[in-house]
Amino acid sequence: MFAALGRLASRRPWYVIAAWVVFAGLVIALAPKLEATTDQSEFLPRHYESIKAAELQAEAFPDTNSSVGGIIVFDREDDESLTPEDVAAANAAMTEVQGELGATFDGVQALDPQQPEALVAPSEDGKIAFSIVALADDVTGYEPSAFDDVVDLRDDLEKATDGTDLRYGVTGPVAQGYDSQEASGDALAIVGAATILLIVVLLALIFRSVIITLMPIVIVGLVSSVANGLIAWANDVFDLKASSDVEVILLVVLYGIGTDYILFFLFRYRERLRDGEATRDAVAHALARAGEAIASAGGAVIVSFMALVLSSLGIFKSIGPALAIAVAVTLLASLTLVPAVVTLLGKALFWPSKKYLVEPSSARFTALGRALGKRPAAFAIGSGGVLAALAVMAFTFTPTFDLGDSGVPADAESTVATDKFTESVSAGASDPGYIMLTSRDGEEISQGDATAFAETIDGTDGVSSAQLGASSEDGSTWAVTVLLDEDPASDAAIADVRGPVRDAAHDAAPDGTQALVGGTTSIFVDFQAAMNRDYKVVFPVAAIVIMLILALLLRSLVAPLYLMASVGLGFGATLGATALVFQHLKGDEGLIFLLPIYIYLFVVALGTDYNILMIARLREEAREGKSSRAAASQALRHAGPTIAAAGVILAGTFASLMLGGNSLLVSMGFAISFGIFVAAFVMAMFFTPAITALMGRAAWWPGHGDETAAEREERVGPA
């Protein structure tokens, strides 16, 4: 198959390139725009309590939206306490902007029934004054028009406070969603620039070629446009939700993996040229040899990402297929477009380098290969010991579920305003929760029973206050507004809702009724439950499918076992190192709970790429008649430079995520780049060849992956 692809690309390069240009043009012209959402509730299935509460609220109170749309916080520029004149100026500013709130917001809530004209209220400590703006009916707060209204509100407040000593800040769910989106856009630009610069510099150092330096930028840029279009189509067809970070992650994955696969091919192509082959023959032979390893590596990545469709969280159900589509397009381009372009360029590919036909001594890799061949046990114990030691630290990993803190930079306007509000007023008031008390049989619930229920909730641990709201038209449902003691997005608030608040609500519900706890904190509680379930389903499925791919590639049942064991060690070492750096050295209380599944998928999938490349080369050397130790030595000598170059580039591209500005991207960037570095320079370069050398022919049982052509002829007869 790969030999046929090689012949097609080398003999009909213009047809291949023309097909890609037409395909890309159609996708770019016809595909819808890839839209992202920051509404976390959209990622949860309907059977979770928080989603049931939201649906019941919409059904029972269709004409009422009590959700907080925005909180405007005023304080003095000199950080002193507010004067009565300052409070009056803040009230005048809110009066001025009240009529220009846009369709997203439903007016300023009256904070004092005795003074409805007072649109702001000072805090007890006198440091701030604040206004609360309700969300309009039938508005989720996460539409592009809502974000436009946030921008307009901030502009209007800038004008209204001009000439005063006041500072303003707009926060609340809509403003936080907007700031998160802006941070993701900034992250995309920063990460994109850093990724491209890194690839250009490293490729220039490796090949000394202008064209090779630019090739991944051009080809992956084309692939990225095609992939984004196909992903947008898939999202529309299957109603998938794309998170606001998906474009940043896609960018890194496409450039990182795309450059890696191009390197896998180019190193083999250059090797064939150095053996004296002509351009077309070298392209065909390079793809015939490297194609299986590239396809198997890409297949492992694709099935790992597709395993996420088994997740109960929409955030992973959407990003899994998105990444799988991106890798599939990249893989197809690597096996068709790249060889065709290389064929057309011929010797000009390496311009201006004049030494591309001169094989370097590779003294370091030759020496390492020789040492590994002589002492594989020492290399296996040493590399495995390093991984095991770091993996022990994984048991200290502490998850945090504060998605708000992880997604918005600390200096964003909404973050600063929230901090001021929670410090001076109430943590829970920044995003009130609610409980829906509803009849199971549709019967009316008496006001006395509803009042008693609210009073019970009011005295519950973790609750600052609980107030009975309105009832539905038929009296079968009552709403209770709940303010928590802690910041609604904090781990402490999540623990309170998961434990005492939900327990009290369920126990206090009168006979014949049920209580459903809703709001942002309740959504985070259900996120935790969904993630715990996903760990038990997604991880094993991805591991089993990757093992099947390895078994098919290597025709062995033994090698896949220790290859996956090494990748498992790499996962543990990566999580352990991340916990060590961020929790124990940096002093963070915990790491975002999404991190382990991202590490698992990227380190397992991408780390398997390097293992596949190394063991495929090792098998090739064994088929030439070398002993297991000599084959391991030669595999490290020849495949080592490729893996080192690819590992540095891929680790570097993921490290660029650390420039993204929020704690999720920083911790993810460190973890994945470290994991890829470990996969390339510890697992694939030392642990895998050392174990294979020690296993000998048993590594290929029950197949005959390492037998020479003569041995095969002796076993099965002449072809």
Side-chain angles (χ1 to χ4, degrees), residues 571-612:
F571 165 77
T574 301
L575 186 58
T578 308
L580 177 65
V581 169
F582 286 89
Q583 292 178 200
H584 301 284
L585 297 181
K586 186 172 178 285
D588 291 351
E589 293 184 1
L591 290 162
I592 193 67
F593 72 103
L594 301 172
L595 194 60
I597 200 163
Y598 276 122
I599 292 175
Y600 179 84
L601 288 165
F602 283 109
V603 172
V604 168
L606 303 181
T608 303
D609 280 8
Y610 302 127
N611 267 341
I612 288 174

Side-chain angles (χ1 to χ4, degrees), residues 368-386 628-629 632 686-696:
L368 283 172
R370 190 180 301 116
L372 186 145
K374 290 180 179 178
R375 295 182 296 277
F379 276 80
I381 293 172
S383 56
V386 170
S628 59
R629 295 193 177 203
F686 299 130
F687 190 76
T688 294
I691 293 294
T692 306
L694 290 172
M695 295 287 294

Side-chain angles (χ1 to χ4, degrees), residues 10-34:
S10 62
R11 295 175 184 175
R12 298 287 187 273
W14 282 113
Y15 290 112
V16 175
I17 294 172
W20 266 99
V21 170
V22 172
F23 175 56
L26 290 174
V27 172
I28 294 170
L30 301 177
K33 187 177 183 297
L34 181 61

Side-chain angles (χ1 to χ4, degrees), residues 511-536:
D511 291 341
T513 69
Q514 66 172 335
L516 299 172
V517 180
T520 300
T521 312
S522 187
I523 289 173
F524 290 164
V525 171
D526 291 337
F527 256 105
Q528 182 180 18
M531 280 299 303
N532 290 337
R533 175 262 180 198
D534 287 351
Y535 287 146
K536 299 174 183 176

Side-chain angles (χ1 to χ4, degrees), residues 95-157:
T95 301
E96 184 175 336
V97 303
Q98 185 176 19
E100 304 293 335
L101 290 175
T104 301
F105 304 110
D106 190 25
V108 183
Q109 293 183 354
L111 300 175
D112 183 355
Q114 304 300 321
Q115 294 181 306
E117 72 281 358
L119 302 181
V120 300
S123 61
E124 290 187 6
D125 62 6
K127 286 289 186 181
I128 70 165
F130 62 93
S131 292
I132 296 178
V133 182
L135 201 62
D137 295 342
D138 301 323
V139 174
T140 67
Y142 298 96
E143 302 92 339
S145 60
F147 292 159
D148 291 340
D149 286 342
V150 169
V151 175
D152 292 341
L153 175 58
R154 287 174 171 172
D155 289 343
D156 291 341
L157 284 167

Side-chain angles (χ1 to χ4, degrees), residues 435 457 460-463 482 484 496-497 499-506 517:
I435 300 175
I457 301 302
T460 300
D461 291 341
V463 175
V482 178
L484 299 173
D496 287 338
V497 170
V501 175
R502 281 191 173 179
D503 290 344
H506 299 162
V517 180

Side-chain angles (χ1 to χ4, degrees), residues 470-666:
S471 68
S472 60
E473 288 187 4
D474 61 2
S476 64
T477 302
W478 288 81
V480 177
T481 302
V482 178
L483 302 185
L484 299 173
D485 286 330
E486 306 290 343
D487 181 348
S490 68
D491 294 326
I494 291 169
D496 287 338
V497 170
R498 181 177 59 245
V501 175
R502 281 191 173 179
D503 290 344
H506 299 162
D507 294 341
D511 291 341
T513 69
Q514 66 172 335
L516 299 172
V517 180
T520 300
T521 312
S522 187
I523 289 173
F524 290 164
V525 171
D526 291 337
F527 256 105
Q528 182 180 18
M531 280 299 303
N532 290 337
R533 175 262 180 198
D534 287 351
Y535 287 146
K536 299 174 183 176
V537 175
V538 176
F539 283 17
V541 169
I544 290 171
V545 176
I546 291 176
M547 285 183 66
L548 289 175
I549 290 176
L550 290 172
L552 292 172
L553 169 68
L554 303 173
R555 282 76 169 174
S556 166
L557 296 179
V558 175
L561 294 176
Y562 66 79
L563 288 176
M564 287 306 298
S566 73
V567 173
L569 270 177
F571 165 77
T574 301
L575 186 58
T578 308
L580 177 65
V581 169
F582 286 89
Q583 292 178 200
H584 301 284
L585 297 181
K586 186 172 178 285
D588 291 351
E589 293 184 1
L591 290 162
I592 193 67
F593 72 103
L594 301 172
L595 194 60
I597 200 163
Y598 276 122
I599 292 175
Y600 179 84
L601 288 165
F602 283 109
V603 172
V604 168
L606 303 181
T608 303
D609 280 8
Y610 302 127
N611 267 341
I612 288 174
L613 189 67
M614 175 59 75
I615 203 162
R617 185 61 189 242
L618 197 154
R619 181 185 60 178
E620 185 178 325
E621 297 292 339
R623 285 174 171 173
E624 294 180 0
K626 298 181 178 70
S627 67
S628 59
R629 295 193 177 203
S633 175
Q634 288 300 305
L636 179 54
R637 176 191 172 191
H638 291 294
T642 307
I643 292 173
V648 169
I649 287 176
L650 191 59
T653 55
F654 274 103
S656 67
L657 287 174
M658 298 176 69
L659 303 174
N662 65 62
S663 60
L664 173 60
L665 291 179
V666 170

